[in-house]
């Protein structure tokens, strides 16, 4: 179903957001929009909301399975404003968000639905889930000028690290919070603004009154931003993303300087959760 604006959707489709978990897909350009939708449909999200420009088309079979909200790029609301409005309209529902050409993976996602994973996570008294944004990039940029190739995607096997997240109020690091770095944002950091170099996102969260997304992909409730509970490690997930590769190749300041994203620690992406767990890019916690 198509809606001409976010406010129109919220007015006319109040019951839609009562069915979770909910996936919100934010479409920035026309790259791999269809595959992004298909991937998240396969994970078992009950409701998928696609926020995208009017000029981008969708096949009838996909359009029938999602709720499309039209926006115009010149007037697009900021990510956090879109997420906050939808969060307020979906109390107590689990919400996930990402951009086009990004794909959610969680432990055992090939055989278990996202609702099963979130039910276990909630049993552990967790209302947010840390996701690492793992950069994907095309094997050969001479044939894939936008750096996107689903069939020949690569990722970095190593080069990931974490730093303590400072608390601006106290002199101590925040409890159970870290800033994570790596991937293309680490290897090509001279082309990335400092505030945009982190690769962690709280992309899965349970909506509640007063919850707000900040512009660094964290929330105003600090417990949502933790990577684990005080007692043991919890589930984490990964968003495998072409977004940084696209930006580096589309930006005139970096495109000419980058001939390839491959290096000695590149590996073909297998599109399997096992590979991501083996590389330490997400973990099952106590979920077996």
């Amino acid at each position: 179903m198509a809606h001409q604006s976010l406010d129109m959707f919220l007015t006319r489709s109040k019951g839609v957001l009562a069915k979770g978990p909910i996936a919100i897909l934010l479409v920035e350009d026309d790259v791999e929009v269809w595959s992004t939708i298909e991937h998240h449909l396969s994970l078992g999200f009950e409701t998928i909301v696609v926020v995208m420009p009017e000029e981008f088309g969708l096949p009838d079979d996909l359009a029938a399975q999602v709720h499309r909200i039209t926006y115009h790029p010149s007037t697009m609301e900021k990510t956090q404003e879109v997420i906050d409005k939808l969060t307020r309209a979906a109390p107590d529902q689990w919400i996930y968000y990402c951009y086009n050409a990004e794909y959610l993976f969680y432990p055992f996602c090939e055989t278990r639905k996202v609702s099963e994973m979130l039910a276990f996570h909630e049993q552990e008294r967790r209302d947010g889930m840390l996701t690492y944004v793992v950069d994907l990039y095309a094997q050969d940029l001479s044939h894939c000028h936008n750096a996107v190739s689903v069939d020949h995607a690569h990722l970095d096997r190593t080069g990931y690290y974490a730093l303590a997240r400072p608390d601006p109020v106290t002199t101590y690091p925040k409890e159970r919070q870290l800033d994570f770095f790596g991937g293309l944002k680490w290897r090509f950091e001279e082309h990335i603004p400092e505030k945009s170099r982190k690769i962690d996102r709280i992309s899965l969260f349970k909506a509640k009154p007063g919850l707000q997304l900040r512009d660094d992909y964290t929330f105003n409730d600090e417990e949502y931003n933790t990577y684990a509970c005080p007692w043991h490690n919890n589930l984490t997930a990964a968003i495998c993303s072409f977004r940084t590769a696209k930006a580096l190749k589309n930006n005139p300041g970096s495109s000419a300087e980058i001939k390839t994203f491959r290096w000695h620690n590149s590996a073909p992406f297998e599109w399997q959760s096992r590979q991501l767990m083996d590389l330490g890019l997400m973990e099952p916690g106590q979920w077996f």
Side-chain angles (χ1 to χ4, degrees):
M1 185 177 294
H3 306 270
Q4 292 305 307
S5 70
L6 177 58
D7 289 337
M8 184 180 295
F9 169 76
L10 293 174
T11 300
R12 297 182 177 179
S13 305
K14 293 181 178 179
V16 170
L17 298 178
K19 300 177 182 178
I22 300 162
I24 303 169
L25 310 183
L26 304 164
V27 177
E28 300 177 301
D29 54 37
D30 61 353
V31 177
E32 293 298 335
V33 177
W34 300 1
S35 69
T36 304
I37 295 173
E38 289 170 343
H39 177 83
H40 292 91
L41 282 169
S42 74
L43 297 179
F45 282 99
E46 287 292 330
T47 302
I48 294 185
V49 177
V50 183
V51 185
M52 63 188 296
E54 186 175 13
E55 60 268 25
F56 296 168
L58 282 181
D60 291 342
D61 60 332
L62 288 184
Q65 298 179 76
V66 303
H67 296 270
R68 173 176 178 164
I69 298 173
T70 297
Y71 74 88
H72 298 282
S74 60
T75 59
M76 182 185 179
E77 298 175 87
K78 293 181 179 179
T79 295
Q80 60 264 40
E81 293 174 340
V82 172
I83 301 303
D84 286 349
K85 284 186 176 182
L86 292 168
T87 297
R88 289 194 294 270
D92 298 321
Q93 296 298 332
W94 279 94
I95 293 176
Y96 160 79
Y97 74 95
C98 72
Y99 301 91
N100 60 297
E102 294 191 328
Y103 309 87
L104 174 67
F105 285 81
Y106 52 84
F108 321 118
C109 62
E110 293 79 15
T111 57
R112 302 182 189 179
K113 296 298 184 183
V114 65
S115 57
E116 297 177 68
M117 184 267 292
L118 292 173
F120 176 83
H121 199 55
E122 191 169 12
Q123 287 173 3
E124 295 203 315
R125 291 182 286 175
R126 300 289 290 164
D127 291 330
M129 180 179 290
L130 174 67
T131 54
Y132 305 106
V133 181
V134 179
D135 289 325
L136 299 179
Y137 44 90
Q139 176 182 359
D140 187 352
L141 297 185
S142 65
H143 289 90
C144 302
H145 300 295
N146 64 358
V148 177
S149 173
V150 171
D151 294 331
H152 301 285
H154 280 60
L155 80 171
D156 288 1
R157 294 178 299 175
T158 62
Y160 303 95
Y161 66 97
L163 298 176
R165 179 173 292 168
D167 189 328
V169 178
T170 71
T171 58
Y172 300 100
K174 291 186 177 182
E175 181 183 0
R176 292 175 286 119
Q177 295 190 42
L178 296 169
D179 290 330
F180 295 87
F181 302 90
L184 300 182
K185 289 184 176 181
W186 170 61
R187 290 200 281 129
F188 298 92
E189 65 176 11
E190 66 273 19
H191 300 295
I192 306 291
E194 185 175 357
K195 68 177 184 179
S196 300
R197 292 175 186 168
K198 294 195 307 114
I199 64 168
D200 51 274
R201 246 188 242 171
I202 307 301
S203 296
L204 283 151
F205 61 94
K206 191 174 183 181
K208 69 175 184 178
L211 188 66
Q212 291 183 321
L213 180 67
R214 299 189 291 218
D215 60 6
D216 63 351
Y217 298 112
T218 64
F219 284 94
N220 60 338
D221 184 328
E222 293 295 349
E223 186 61 29
Y224 275 67
N225 304 326
T226 57
Y227 56 80
C229 67
W231 310 284
H232 58 246
N233 290 343
N234 294 113
L235 278 160
T236 59
I239 297 176
C240 297
S241 171
F242 287 104
R243 191 167 182 244
T244 297
K246 282 193 303 173
L248 288 169
K249 284 307 294 179
N250 288 331
N251 188 326
S254 56
S255 181
E257 297 185 23
I258 299 174
K259 305 304 181 186
T260 182
F261 286 124
R262 294 188 65 192
W263 65 319
H264 61 282
N265 281 319
S266 294
F269 181 44
E270 299 171 5
W271 297 94
Q272 293 286 329
S273 62
R274 172 53 59 188
Q275 181 186 27
L276 295 165
M277 285 190 283
D278 289 345
L279 292 175
L281 296 173
M282 63 184 185
E283 87 152 79
Q286 311 299 308
W287 197 38
F288 303 107

